[in-house]
Amino acid sequence: DALPLDGYSLLQPNDYMLAYWPPAKAGEDPDAWFILSPKQLVAVRPRGLADHVQWLTERENYQQALSDIEDAYAERGPWAMYRDQVKEAEYRAIGQDYAQLLMDAGEWAEAAQICLRVLPRSGDADSVAAWETWIFAFAEANALELVAGHIPTVGLSSTVYEMVLAFLLTSDIAQFKELVFAWPPGLFNAFSVALAVEDQLEKAAAAAGDRGALQETLAFLYDRLNQPAKSLKYHLELFTPGVLDRIGRENLFDAVRDKAELVMRYDDHELGGERPLRDRCEAKGVLLLTDNTDAIPCASVVKQLVCSPEHLHVYLHTLLGKDAHLGAPFADLQVELYAEYDPGRLGSFLRISTYYTFDRALEICEERGLVPEMVFILGRMGDNHRALMLIIERLRDVPRAIEFAKEQNDPELWSDLMVYSRDKPEFIVGLLELGGTLTNPTKLIRSVPPGLVVPDIRRALTNVLYDYHLQVELCTDCKHVLDADCELLSEGLRMVQHQGMSVEEEHVCLVCQDSLVGSAALAFWCGHVFHDRCVLHPDVLLKTMLRSASELALGRRSNRLVQGSIEQRRMLTLGKLDRTMLIRQYHPVCPVCAEYDQKKMAQMHTGWSSAERKDHCEEP
């Protein structure tokens, strides 16, 4: 550099003087040199950082200026001792000028890097203003994604954050998701962002990865908004692990009331590939639907699964195992589902359920050619002849035809079977072997056309004869056992009926309610005891009176029987037996039993009232 002095052309070297001035204290301005001429005094000092930076910025070398300032702040390089010459505000201003220069040149990535280096993060008004200014600048340049991930999370208005998210939603979904998850609550309106994401999800045919990122974001936002009914939809679509456990743990059954199809798809994902019906019915999702029918009505689930019949079949089959009555309104639909997806279990369902329509079930089975099920339905409908013809003509199953005839216990079926079998050797042999004891073998054999060759007829007839012989022996042995039991029971009854009846002092006549002690009494086989005068007609009573009754005081009869001679007791006993035989000739009737018989006859015509039934039950 040249140092111009006034009038230097008129001066000689001896006209100049050079002097050195050291710093007075450490930390003050650096040392200086003075050049003295007749007309001028010039102070010369070493160049500082401020001079250096100014020189660089005048030549638009901002990159070097920023680097030298940063080195000086870090106490590196030759300018470290001059670091106090450039304040932080000046440093940031230089950086922003450089960033603006880059923005004007269209170098947005480099401008973003400079802004991230120089913009403050203190959160004060100046910092907030600077960040908002540059965020809008990058938004205008359509390069907001370059600084979005580095925006401070304090101080800025919610509008700025929402603008950033809105920009990324249409340009960089992965970064959008990252920021939504990273930014703390309160920076932006989660509900507004969720609506924007749903709109983007509906309008844009996003790639699989982007669609998954949007669904994850929505699930996160709705969980933050405490709206499980909406968040669970996306968790189920994403097959989030543990979401079904969360539903049960937090009692969110109402939230999945309209998401039955998603729950069933979640099961398919968890099971992985084709699995047997038993495994599918034990999956968590279908058990959640069937175990909580109060919160998730069956009708609502069926309506949602109509478009997915295989899932509907799994649901209804599981529901049948829980409670057959819950699936009663859908029995016809379940018949069709079994016929389509699991014909082997249709027969079992037809036997268990009583709610399906016979005509509809028969129509479904006819369309698919399910003959055994058609046979069962026709049997329930009472069309046994048609059912038997199906077994004979389409199944050609002799044992099944015979078993069906046994189950129905209809003589006409046996007749139809014999008529159909008379010219078919395999049916003739089958009837003789399997139904020999239930049909008339003689009639069957006589109906066989002459000249018809029946293989194995000898063996079949031998079996018939053996069965009849066995049946005769069995009946004979049963008759012997029955006769022995009857003889034993008859002997016991006779002994019981010939036993005496004990009459205690507290026993009373069931007619007059007086004590039986000291009076002549009559006892019937039914166990009821009465005074003879209360039961017998006076004329009969007079005719059957003991002649010795006047000689023996009835009140002392017990003592006389004990203390009297053997002959006296024998005579008294014979007299009582004779009187009994005389009384039996007049066929006396127990009044209590006679009254019961009258009430029973009346009840057969009119029925007992509750009071009469109670009175009858309380009678002795």
Side-chain angles (χ1 to χ4, degrees):
D1 293 336
L3 182 63
L5 295 175
D6 294 341
Y8 69 91
S9 59
L10 300 177
L11 298 177
Q12 297 296 322
N14 294 330
D15 297 329
Y16 297 99
M17 182 178 292
L18 180 65
Y20 172 69
W21 185 271
K25 296 181 180 178
E28 291 185 353
D29 291 339
D31 50 359
W33 294 85
F34 293 93
I35 300 175
L36 181 62
S37 71
K39 295 183 178 182
Q40 192 175 7
L41 178 65
V42 179
V44 180
R45 292 186 179 87
R47 295 183 56 156
L49 179 60
D51 299 327
H52 179 64
V53 169
Q54 181 181 1
W55 185 83
L56 291 174
T57 54
E58 288 175 353
R59 290 160 178 77
E60 295 186 354
N61 192 354
Y62 295 101
Q63 181 68 33
Q64 185 63 44
L66 292 176
S67 298
D68 289 343
I69 294 173
E70 291 168 357
D71 289 343
Y73 285 166
E75 297 184 356
R76 296 191 305 266
W79 307 107
M81 60 185 301
Y82 303 111
R83 63 180 179 274
D84 295 332
Q85 292 182 358
V86 179
K87 305 302 182 184
E88 184 176 356
E90 186 179 355
Y91 162 73
R92 300 190 186 283
I94 295 171
Q96 294 185 56
D97 291 340
Y98 182 39
Q100 186 62 51
L101 184 65
L102 294 173
M103 290 286 287
D104 295 339
E107 299 177 3
W108 301 302
E110 292 78 359
Q113 293 297 324
I114 296 301
C115 287
L116 299 179
R117 287 168 61 182
V118 302
L119 290 182
R121 294 178 176 273
S122 58
D124 56 14
D126 293 337
S127 172
V128 170
W131 272 103
E132 290 184 351
T133 300
W134 280 102
I135 288 173
F136 284 110
F138 279 100
E140 291 178 1
N142 200 27
L144 195 55
E145 70 278 1
L146 298 174
V147 296
H150 306 280
I151 296 175
T153 56
V154 293
L156 305 186
S157 67
S158 61
T159 304
V160 173
Y161 296 107
E162 292 173 9
M163 180 192 68
V164 173
L165 292 176
F167 176 84
L168 296 177
L169 182 60
T170 57
S171 60
D172 191 342
I173 293 178
Q175 189 177 14
F176 167 80
K177 172 193 168 185
E178 181 182 352
L179 292 181
V180 170
F181 278 73
W183 284 350
L187 286 187
F188 57 90
N189 189 327
F191 184 74
S192 300
V193 174
L195 292 180
V197 175
E198 285 186 341
D199 185 62
Q200 180 71 12
L201 193 61
E202 292 176 359
K203 290 192 301 185
D210 290 344
R211 185 174 184 82
L214 291 176
Q215 290 173 326
E216 288 184 43
T217 305
L218 283 171
F220 175 80
L221 289 173
Y222 282 123
D223 279 336
R224 177 179 286 183
L225 292 169
N226 195 24
Q227 295 185 15
K230 293 184 177 180
S231 70
L232 287 176
K233 172 188 174 183
Y234 298 105
H235 283 303
L236 291 171
E237 290 178 349
L238 295 167
F239 309 118
T240 304
V243 63
L244 296 181
D245 295 332
R246 175 192 171 189
I247 293 171
R249 183 173 61 253
E250 299 180 12
N251 194 22
L252 300 175
F253 303 113
D254 290 338
V256 295
R257 180 178 297 181
D258 57 345
K259 300 174 181 61
E261 176 64 17
L262 294 177
V263 172
M264 299 300 292
R265 290 180 184 174
Y266 188 93
D267 278 351
D268 293 343
H269 175 78
E270 291 293 306
L271 294 174
E274 293 292 332
R275 299 295 293 272
L277 182 62
R278 179 178 179 181
D279 292 346
R280 299 185 69 180
C281 292
E282 293 176 354
K284 290 183 178 180
V286 70
L287 292 178
L288 182 143
L289 296 176
T290 55
D291 289 343
N292 301 278
T293 53
D294 293 338
I296 311 173
C298 302
S300 174
V301 176
V302 171
K303 184 177 180 181
Q304 296 174 60
L305 298 180
V306 165
C307 297
S308 180
E310 189 171 359
H311 287 154
L312 181 58
H313 170 58
V314 175
Y315 171 76
L316 290 178
H317 181 74
T318 308
L319 192 65
L320 179 67
K322 298 287 183 180
D323 189 346
H325 301 292
L326 293 175
F330 322 107
D332 289 340
L333 178 60
Q334 199 163 2
V335 171
E336 187 172 357
L337 292 172
Y338 274 116
E340 180 68 25
Y341 296 102
D342 201 352
R345 286 187 171 89
L346 178 57
S348 175
F349 173 75
L350 294 175
R351 288 170 173 80
I352 293 173
S353 178
T354 58
Y355 300 106
Y356 57 89
T357 305
F358 291 148
D359 293 336
R360 177 57 183 159
L362 182 61
E363 180 183 351
I364 293 172
C365 294
E366 286 179 344
E367 291 175 355
R368 292 166 174 79
L370 302 175
V371 179
E373 288 75 15
M374 292 171 60
V375 170
F376 177 79
I377 296 171
L378 289 171
R380 274 201 169 183
M381 296 173 67
D383 196 349
N384 296 329
H385 176 75
R386 184 181 172 189
L388 183 63
M389 289 301 102
L390 282 175
I391 298 174
I392 295 173
E393 295 176 355
R394 298 185 61 175
L395 296 180
R396 301 192 65 82
D397 189 342
V398 181
R400 190 182 185 93
I402 296 173
E403 185 65 27
F404 180 77
K406 288 180 181 179
E407 291 177 357
Q408 303 303 322
N409 194 23
D410 186 354
E412 293 185 1
L413 283 183
W414 289 109
S415 300
D416 295 341
L417 187 57
M418 292 175 65
V419 170
Y420 181 85
S421 305
R422 60 186 178 184
D423 58 348
K424 296 176 178 59
E426 66 274 15
F427 278 85
I428 294 173
V429 174
L431 281 174
L432 291 175
E433 289 184 342
L434 302 176
T437 58
L438 300 173
T439 60
N440 188 346
T442 305
K443 182 178 179 181
L444 177 62
I445 295 172
R446 287 177 178 175
S447 65
V448 177
L452 180 66
V453 178
V454 182
D456 297 329
I457 188 67
R458 183 189 299 275
R459 176 173 54 82
L461 291 175
T462 302
N463 290 338
V464 170
L465 294 175
Y466 177 76
D467 290 342
Y468 270 97
H469 177 70
L470 184 62
Q471 189 174 10
V472 170
E473 287 186 353
L474 183 62
C475 290
T476 302
D477 293 341
C478 290
K479 183 177 181 301
H480 291 162
V481 174
L482 183 61
D483 291 344
D485 290 343
C486 290
E487 183 178 353
L488 180 63
L489 294 174
S490 297
E491 180 64 21
L493 177 62
R494 186 186 64 79
M495 292 180 63
V496 171
Q497 290 180 343
H498 282 76
Q499 290 177 354
M501 182 179 295
S502 175
V503 179
E504 305 295 339
E505 292 184 1
E506 61 270 14
H507 287 178
V508 296
C509 173
L510 297 178
V511 175
C512 65
Q513 303 299 319
D514 291 338
S515 176
L516 295 171
V517 179
S519 302
L522 293 180
F524 292 87
W525 292 119
C526 58
H528 298 143
V529 184
F530 308 90
H531 291 129
D532 55 358
R533 64 177 182 272
C534 295
V535 177
L536 300 177
H537 192 273
D539 294 339
V540 176
L541 183 64
L542 182 61
K543 293 178 181 179
T544 59
M545 185 68 69
L546 286 173
R547 287 191 297 272
S548 59
S550 59
E551 299 175 359
L552 297 173
L554 295 177
R556 296 189 298 274
R557 183 167 55 186
S558 299
N559 292 332
R560 290 180 177 231
L561 287 174
V562 176
Q563 298 175 1
S565 63
I566 295 176
E567 183 63 21
Q568 287 177 333
R569 284 183 287 171
R570 188 179 69 82
M571 292 298 296
L572 182 59
T573 301
L574 289 175
K576 291 172 64 179
L577 291 175
D578 292 341
R579 184 169 185 259
T580 300
M581 297 302 295
L582 289 173
I583 291 174
R584 286 182 177 178
Q585 295 178 3
Y586 295 98
H587 305 290
V589 178
C590 172
V592 175
C593 294
E595 183 179 1
Y596 170 75
D597 291 340
Q598 291 177 359
K599 288 184 177 181
K600 187 174 181 181
M601 292 298 294
Q603 188 268 343
M604 291 175 61
H605 298 287
T606 61
W608 279 343
S609 66
S610 58
E612 290 174 338
R613 189 177 294 107
K614 181 178 180 181
D615 293 342
H616 166 67
C617 294
E618 293 178 352
E619 288 177 356

